[in-house]
């Protein structure tokens, strides 16, 4: 992994953890942190630059989802697309 993409991934990881720690509910907060850590650990050995860029783009979208969830108090955290279990089915 190039140094710049490594730095970008680490910045995204830190930002996602930082933002997810703002959930008011302890259960949602710990679940979000655990899912983020697990997802990054699962993909830590990816070497293909195209796949890395795809994962970075997905992480950026997920970070924006977290930020929107925190900015919209009427939306419940359990509706987060990011934290939903993965599905292999296509829509």
């Amino acid at each position: 992994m190039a140094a710049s993409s490594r730095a970008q991934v680490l910045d995204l990881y830190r930002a996602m953890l930082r933002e997810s720690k703002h959930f008011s509910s302890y259960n949602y907060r710990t679940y979000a942190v655990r899912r983020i850590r697990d997802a990054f650990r699962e993909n830590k050995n990816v070497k293909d630059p195209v796949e890395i860029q795809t994962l970075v783009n997905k992480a950026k979208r997920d970070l924006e989802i977290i930020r929107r969830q925190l900015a919209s108090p009427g939306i419940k955290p359990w509706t987060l697309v990011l934290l939903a279990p993965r599905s292999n089915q296509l829509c």
Side-chain angles (χ1 to χ4, degrees), residues 1-89:
M1 180 183 319
S4 62
S5 63
R6 179 176 171 79
Q8 185 180 21
V9 169
L10 289 174
D11 287 344
L12 275 170
Y13 177 71
R14 289 182 190 122
M16 291 178 82
L17 287 177
R18 191 178 319 114
E19 292 294 328
S20 66
K21 289 182 180 180
H22 290 97
F23 284 120
S24 59
S25 169
Y26 171 80
N27 290 332
Y28 298 129
R29 188 171 52 246
T30 56
Y31 179 71
V33 169
R34 187 178 70 240
R35 289 285 294 140
I36 292 165
R37 287 182 178 152
D38 289 347
F40 276 80
R41 282 185 189 135
E42 179 181 323
N43 295 307
K44 75 178 182 180
N45 295 322
V46 174
K47 302 291 185 209
D48 180 28
V50 174
E51 188 174 354
I52 290 172
Q53 192 58 45
T54 302
L55 291 167
V56 166
N57 291 338
K58 182 182 181 319
K60 286 179 181 179
R61 286 191 310 270
D62 292 345
L63 177 59
E64 289 305 313
I65 291 171
I66 291 172
R67 287 180 174 157
R68 280 196 309 267
Q69 293 290 342
L70 291 169
S72 304
I75 300 174
K76 302 299 180 206
W78 59 79
T79 62
L80 273 175
V81 174
L82 163 73
L83 302 178
R86 291 186 185 190
S87 174
N88 292 334
Q89 299 174 353

